[in-house]
Amino acid sequence: MTKDHSTLFDHPEGYGTVSRALHWLMAALFAWQFLSAILHGVDREMPAARFFWSWHMSVGVLLLVAVLLRGAWALINLGNRPVHTAGLLGTAARLGYLVLYLLMLAVPLVAVVRAYGSGRGLSVFGIEVLAGGGERIPALMAPANAVHGLLGWALLALTLGHVIMALAHAYLWREDTLTRMVRGRPASIARMD
Ligand code: HEM
């Protein structure tokens, strides 16, 4: 089975199963993650905030792993994915995706580095991935202290912009941009392959 024949891989007419699964899984996890951050920002003592916050670090690490997989899969499929239109809107979309990827990487990464530098260790869904009891390394904690929350909110703003543009393409300009991520390539093309 070649890349072109398999619906697992991306295609210029629509995304493959792997890209679509990673996209929607990450959308759900980000919705959860932003909810935890918003509730924490509003009143960290309220029961709902405590509940969601108790998952913040585990879901954040899961998102870091997911974005690494997604980035690797995007590279494997490079040159075989839907292209953006030429012109200002297409350039803005490409730039937007680049910044989205950079923020999706940087936000959890600096937090994991801080957890390591804190010497308190890090557990993900109850499994210890970084041992605690180590020395405090302030230089490793400083980047997250300075930018983790700030870049996290910037990522939320950019994500909202991304959702609004996807809906505008689908319902205002009647283009099939959203379909490419929902249903993948049209069935007729999948059959022709
Ligand atoms: C992509 C994933 C992540 C996003 C979008 C995110 C987002 C945020 C946001 C917006 C805040 C500010 C909340 C407030 O102002 O009350 C925050 C705080 C925090 N996050 Fe995350 N986070 C992510 C991953 C992680 C990870 C992986 C860890 C730990 C390993 C972590 C640990 C913390 C901690 C300890 C705080 C409170 C201190 C601070 O604001 O820096 N986060 N996060």
Side-chain angles (χ1 to χ4, degrees):
M1 191 162 51
T2 66
K3 266 189 187 183
D4 266 0
H5 286 78
S6 168
T7 49
L8 287 178
F9 291 94
D10 297 339
H11 187 278
E13 296 294 328
Y15 292 95
T17 323
V18 175
S19 290
R20 282 182 287 137
L22 282 170
H23 177 273
W24 294 111
L25 174 74
M26 286 178 68
L29 289 175
F30 268 116
W32 178 283
Q33 192 71 343
F34 287 132
L35 187 60
S36 85
I38 290 168
L39 293 173
H40 187 256
V42 172
D43 175 6
R44 65 186 66 185
E45 296 305 328
M46 67 176 161
R50 283 172 178 273
F51 170 74
F52 279 98
W53 193 256
S54 67
W55 296 101
H56 184 84
M57 283 145 219
S58 298
V59 172
V61 174
L62 193 58
L63 274 164
L64 178 59
V65 174
V67 76
L68 289 173
L69 288 176
R70 189 162 162 195
W73 189 250
L75 288 179
I76 290 171
N77 285 272
L78 209 66
N80 210 27
R81 320 187 86 197
V83 286
H84 300 291
T85 48
L88 201 65
L89 216 57
T91 308
R94 272 189 292 273
L95 200 69
Y97 285 131
L98 181 68
V99 179
L100 263 178
Y101 266 102
L102 290 177
L103 288 177
M104 286 193 296
L105 267 177
V107 171
L109 195 62
V110 290
V112 169
V113 170
R114 173 173 63 190
Y116 177 73
S118 75
R120 272 181 285 139
L122 180 64
S123 290
V124 177
F125 298 110
I127 300 162
E128 189 181 70
V129 290
L130 292 177
E135 215 180 300
R136 232 174 120 91
I137 311 169
L140 295 186
M141 300 179 67
N145 288 342
V147 299
H148 177 71
L150 201 69
L151 293 185
W153 295 125
L155 180 56
L156 172 60
L158 201 63
T159 307
L160 289 176
H162 169 69
V163 172
I164 290 168
M165 286 310 284
L167 293 177
H169 274 290
Y171 300 108
L172 210 61
W173 303 315
R174 307 254 164 224
E175 292 163 359
D176 59 357
T177 325
L178 189 58
T179 321
R180 300 195 300 220
M181 193 50 94
V182 176
R183 266 180 261 145
R185 64 174 106 172
S188 52
I189 291 180
R191 271 198 307 275
M192 266 157 46
D193 280 347

